[in-house]
Amino acid sequence: MTLIAAGAVALERGICRPGWVATDGDRIGACGAGPPPRPADVDMPGALVVPGSVDMHAHGGGGGSYTGGDVADISRAAEFHRRHGTTTTLASLVTAPPDNLLTAVAALAESTRVGTVAGIHLEGPWLSASYCGAHDREQLRNPEPAEIDALLAAGDGAIRMVTLAPELPGSHAAIARFVEAGVVVAVGHTDAGYEQTCQAIALGATVGTHLFNAMRPLHHREPGPALALLQDPRVTVELIADGVHVHPAMLRAVIEAAGIGRVALVTDATAAAGLGDGEFRLGTMQIEVVDQVARVRGTSTIAGSTATMDQLFRAAAGLGSNSDAALAAAVQMTSTTPARAVGLDHVGILRAGFAANLVVLDQDLQVARVMADGQWWV
């Protein structure tokens, strides 16, 4: 058993100063506030220890992509994000031709089995052409039972979430099929109205994919999907808190309206994350990154992000001037809430019996060390 002591530890009760965590193999054996019960094996008096981040929406990073079905690419992306504190990742796929999508799902299912990623998020192909964003418009289609069943079979239990537009023909049956299969249904890339979104939630949708982005906007006479998602306590809303996708004032307003237990910060990162400006690909789409903002080449359409979860943690903590309450809220929105939203047990919290996934942050909230499944990776 390894005993880690730190100047501060993010436990369920909040930020404890000081605190300690004891790991036993790949699990947390015990944790607590105050001085450790015996001399620490690792003592970091100036550090903050938090649970490893859980990113429920990422397409790649560090030059690696989850979208192409290449095992080396998948590992490269996961390792990049692990260095930035993400110990649990859902690999998000974009809209693609049926055969390509099946190939990518099969590859990611294997990566899920060996623990490289925690599961698959299908973002498409059942999206609105009016709000397709960086998805290939030519490959959008309505949800059909045969394709859904083929993808579920290829995933062999690894598909954890699917984003769809509930106004599409066949969407109601699709929602029911996914819910029956234990897959979380998210509403996104949608032109649905308020009532249509409420109906999707009643059918079992429980997540709003990158709230406000790629969906019909709020209007005082037609509230649209965003209000329906925000006001229902059963729904967790994703926010990309990179300062590009959502204005900080809107981020604060959503947190105040929904509460930190219903807000999951996500990166929506692409292979371009960590590589600076240049030209990249997202599925079949050509992407150009300028000043760290990714757009579909030749357009103003935002195409995912170049963010990492440690960046989003700092943004959330900064809303409260890095107070202990703000730090605890940042932990909730980057770890606990997303884990619960997609049904990932034993991650997202520093608790005895949970996975030994933790991140050591220095006084500037920069990642100093990362432990995943009881092993130091950074």
Side-chain angles (χ1 to χ4, degrees):
M1 184 174 287
T2 300
L3 183 60
I4 302 163
V9 176
L11 301 178
E12 290 181 83
R13 60 189 282 189
I15 306 299
C16 299
R17 299 179 182 273
W20 56 274
V21 180
T23 64
D24 187 3
D26 64 355
R27 296 285 167 172
I28 294 173
C31 52
R38 64 171 175 81
D41 301 300
V42 180
D43 192 5
M44 298 172 288
L48 166 65
V49 175
V50 301
S53 292
V54 178
D55 192 353
M56 56 191 278
H57 189 158
H59 299 280
S65 174
Y66 299 130
T67 64
D70 182 85
V71 173
D73 246 12
I74 294 167
S75 295
R76 185 179 304 115
E79 289 169 7
F80 167 79
H81 284 292
R82 189 182 296 119
R83 292 195 298 273
H84 288 272
T86 299
T87 53
T88 305
T89 302
L90 284 196
S92 299
L93 294 174
V94 292
T95 298
D99 288 346
N100 293 13
L101 196 58
L102 280 169
T103 298
V105 165
L108 284 169
E110 178 58 29
S111 293
T112 301
R113 280 189 286 273
V114 300
T116 306
V117 296
I120 302 167
H121 165 215
L122 292 177
E123 190 181 17
W126 311 299
L127 311 177
S128 165
S130 299
Y131 292 97
C132 61
H135 289 256
D136 186 346
R137 184 186 301 268
E138 299 301 317
Q139 296 299 330
L140 297 176
R141 46 197 182 269
N142 295 330
E144 298 287 348
E147 182 174 28
I148 291 171
D149 287 344
L151 288 166
L152 288 172
D156 192 25
I159 298 175
R160 282 198 167 266
M161 185 167 74
V162 57
T163 294
L164 55 76
E167 73 274 17
L168 296 179
S171 64
H172 290 182
I175 292 171
R177 177 70 181 96
F178 282 120
V179 170
E180 177 189 35
V183 176
V184 173
V185 176
V187 173
H189 287 275
T190 177
D191 194 26
Y194 175 83
E195 289 78 10
Q196 287 175 308
T197 307
C198 288
Q199 190 170 14
I201 296 169
L203 289 168
T206 56
V207 169
T209 295
H210 44 51
L211 191 69
F212 304 121
N213 293 112
M215 61 178 60
R216 185 191 293 196
L218 281 164
H219 188 275
H220 57 285
R221 286 190 295 274
E222 172 43 68
L227 184 62
L229 295 165
L230 269 174
Q231 70 178 16
D232 196 301
R234 296 170 291 184
V235 175
T236 299
V237 294
E238 294 181 351
L239 285 174
I240 309 171
D242 62 351
V244 175
H245 285 78
V246 181
H247 191 282
M250 185 62 81
L251 172 63
R252 189 189 300 273
V254 170
I255 293 170
E256 291 175 354
I260 58 175
R262 291 184 49 219
V263 174
L265 302 186
V266 299
T267 63
D268 197 12
T270 69
L275 296 185
D277 293 351
E279 294 193 358
F280 305 89
R281 294 183 68 86
L282 178 59
T284 62
M285 306 298 285
Q286 295 288 335
I287 306 302
E288 186 175 24
V289 177
V290 178
D291 295 331
Q292 291 300 295
V293 178
R295 301 183 188 276
V296 176
R297 189 170 66 181
T299 77
S300 61
T301 301
I302 297 175
S305 88
T306 60
T308 53
M309 288 299 284
D310 58 329
Q311 174 188 341
L312 304 189
F313 183 97
R314 289 189 292 272
L319 293 175
S321 301
N322 294 347
S323 66
D324 281 0
L327 291 170
V331 168
Q332 177 84 29
M333 293 186 289
T334 58
S335 299
T336 313
T337 297
R340 290 174 178 169
V342 294
L344 290 169
D345 297 328
H346 299 105
V347 297
I349 303 173
L350 297 181
R351 178 194 292 174
F354 273 47
N357 294 344
L358 57 87
V359 179
V360 179
L361 301 173
D362 66 17
Q363 293 180 341
D364 297 320
L365 302 183
Q366 299 288 333
V367 174
R369 301 192 73 179
V370 177
M371 175 182 283
D373 295 321
Q375 296 184 26
W376 291 109
W377 290 86
V378 176

